[in-house]
Structure formats: C-alpha cells, structure tokens
C-alpha cells in the first residue's frame, strides 16, 4: 500500500527553527508537495520538490531525498502565525496526490 | 471572483437526503478534484476530472457522484447521505504542466445526522 508518515504534533518556540519530517512509500514518485493549513481553513501551497536537494523560499525550506523516501520542511525564525498543520503529499505513478495526515505545529511565545 | 469558491459553507443534513456541493473556479484550470478531510486522516480523493467532459474515481468514491459539464464547475452529489459522510469537503483545481500544483477552495463542512 501507499503510505505517508509525519509526526502528529510538534511544539516550538517563537523565533526558533523547526524541522518537520515526512517519509513516504508510494507506487512511483512524481514530486512532493508541502502545504500549510490553518485551523478551519483550506490548505495553501508552500513548496514543491521533484529533484533531490534543498529548495529555499524565504523562511521556509524543503528538502528531498528520493533514494531514502524522505523529505523535511524547515521553518526558520518562527512566528506565532506559523501555528498550523503542515501537510506532506506525494504524487504517485498515476499522477494522484497521496496525503499525509499532517503535522500540527504549536508555537509558544 | 478569483480562485475557487464552494457552496454551501456548512450544512446539516438528514440521513437519506440528497445533497449537491458546488464548486466553481475562474482560473481556467483543466483539472479539478474533490477531497474529504477527516480528523487524523490525510486528505482523501473522492473524484477528479482532468478536463471538461471527463471524470474519474479516486480513493473513496462510493456514495458520491460528479459531473464536469464545463471548465469552471465541478459539483459533487451525495445521492443518499449517511452519517459516515460527515466530513469537511474540499474542492481543488490545477493547471496542466510539470508541477500541477493544486489550489483549494475554502471547504464545505457537512454534518449528516
């Protein structure tokens, strides 16, 4: 079967750095996405990786290792507004997105 | 409007009733999707459409139907609602290309009693 694993919940301090991991086992790989979802709202796109390595976008970076079936999302200089769930999704060989259950990130002052 | 709209925002429905959730996008995206999101689970694909006039089944299609008469609209129908269909429903769309990022509507919160 296909599987995406992420930690259920993480806590971090305002101004700090946090890394959210995602491991996947899917039938094929055609890209990995990270989305942010605030409580009661829709998921919004954060980043996309299809080749190995690090993609940086301001305070957010995403890393991919296809050989290890592993990605992480790195959030720097955490702000209270970063409190949200972070969803990892992999596009499989059928070009469908397989979603993880999400990691709820709690930021404390 | 810009983006994707969904209606209604929320709904309480008696079991056995028929319900259509509406989704409209103005980005001229070819592909559209319906997901349900339940606590502790990832988004699960119900149905999708790669282009107007075509539809396909996702991971959890039973009890749901869709149509895609034009590019902009992609309604989801529950023919006879059951309590297990209580969920948050998200519509999404994407344009064809290498990345095909999906963009989501605000969601419909459905409670079936």
């Amino acid at each position: 079967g296909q599987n995406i694993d992420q930690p259920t919940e993480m806590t971090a301090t305002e101004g700090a750095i946090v890394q959210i991991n995602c491991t996947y086992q899917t039938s094929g790989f055609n890209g990995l996405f990270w989305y942010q979802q605030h409580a009661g709202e829709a998921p919004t796109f954060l980043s996309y990786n299809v080749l190995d390595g690090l993609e940086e976008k301001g305070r957010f970076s995403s890393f991919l290792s296809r050989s290890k079936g592993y990605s992480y999302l790195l959030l720097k200089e955490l702000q209270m507004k970063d409190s949200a769930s972070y969803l990892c999704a992999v596009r499989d060989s059928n070009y469908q997105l397989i979603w993880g259950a999400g990691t709820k990130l709690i930021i404390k002052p | 409007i810009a983006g994707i709209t969904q209606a209604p925002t929320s709904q309480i429905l008696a079991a056995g009733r028929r319900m259509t959730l509406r989704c409209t996008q103005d980005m001229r995206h070819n592909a559209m999707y319906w997901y349900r999101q339940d606590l502790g689970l990832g988004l699960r694909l119900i149905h999708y459409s790669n282009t107007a006039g075509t539809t396909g089944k996702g991971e959890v299609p039973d009890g749901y139907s869709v149509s895609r008469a034009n590019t902009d609209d992609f309604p989801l129908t529950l023919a006879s609602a059951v309590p297990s269909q209580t969920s948050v429903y998200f519509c999404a769309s994407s344009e064809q290309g290498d990345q095909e990022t999906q963009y989501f509507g605000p969601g419909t919160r459905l409670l079936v009693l």
Side-chain angles (χ1 to χ4, degrees):
Chain A
Q2 307 203 89
N3 198 45
I4 310 284
D5 284 320
Q6 311 177 228
T8 302
E9 187 174 296
M10 299 181 70
T11 302
T13 304
E14 190 177 15
I17 299 172
V18 71
Q19 177 176 312
I20 302 174
N21 296 325
C22 171
T23 57
Y24 63 89
Q25 291 175 310
T26 56
S27 57
F29 178 86
N30 285 294
L32 184 144
F33 294 82
W34 284 96
Y35 280 76
Q36 181 189 59
Q37 186 177 25
H38 284 101
E41 298 183 6
T44 57
F45 170 72
L46 283 179
S47 69
Y48 172 71
N49 295 73
V50 67
L51 299 176
D52 291 350
L54 191 68
E55 293 283 341
E56 297 187 81
K57 262 191 193 180
R59 294 189 299 115
F60 292 10
S61 303
S62 56
F63 172 82
L64 174 66
S65 169
R66 288 171 296 170
S67 63
K68 294 182 179 178
Y70 169 70
S71 172
Y72 67 72
L73 181 69
L74 193 71
L75 291 74
K76 303 176 186 175
E77 301 169 15
L78 286 169
Q79 302 175 8
M80 297 303 293
K81 67 179 182 179
D82 297 330
S83 292
S85 288
Y86 292 85
L87 314 181
C88 174
V90 172
R91 182 182 289 135
D92 68 8
S93 56
N94 293 320
Y95 259 71
Q96 300 295 349
L97 283 184
I98 310 301
W99 295 81
T103 298
K104 182 178 180 181
L105 178 63
I106 300 167
I107 309 296
K108 295 187 174 179
Chain B
I1 56 172
I4 303 179
T5 58
Q6 292 184 235
T9 302
S10 63
Q11 182 75 43
I12 300 173
L13 189 66
R17 297 296 296 268
R18 181 184 179 90
M19 174 78 191
T20 295
L21 309 185
R22 300 184 298 278
C23 174
T24 299
Q25 55 107 356
D26 67 354
M27 297 178 285
R28 308 304 293 173
H29 285 171
N30 283 324
M32 297 186 75
Y33 314 85
W34 274 105
Y35 290 95
R36 59 178 291 172
Q37 188 174 41
D38 302 291
L39 207 60
L41 299 177
L43 288 160
R44 291 183 292 168
L45 183 65
I46 304 170
H47 285 286
Y48 65 94
S49 168
N50 288 329
T51 189
T54 69
T55 63
K57 293 182 180 180
E59 179 187 355
V60 288
D62 294 344
Y64 306 95
S65 64
V66 291
S67 61
R68 185 89 184 278
N70 57 60
T71 298
D72 298 344
D73 301 299
F74 191 42
L76 176 75
T77 298
L78 289 67
S80 178
V82 294
S84 61
Q85 292 177 312
T86 293
S87 188
V88 181
Y89 291 87
F90 287 104
C91 179
S93 71
S94 66
E95 62 181 3
Q96 286 180 329
D98 289 338
Q99 188 162 321
E100 297 188 17
T101 299
Q102 293 186 14
Y103 297 94
F104 286 80
T108 294
R109 284 142 190 82
L110 181 66
L111 174 62
V112 182
L113 299 174

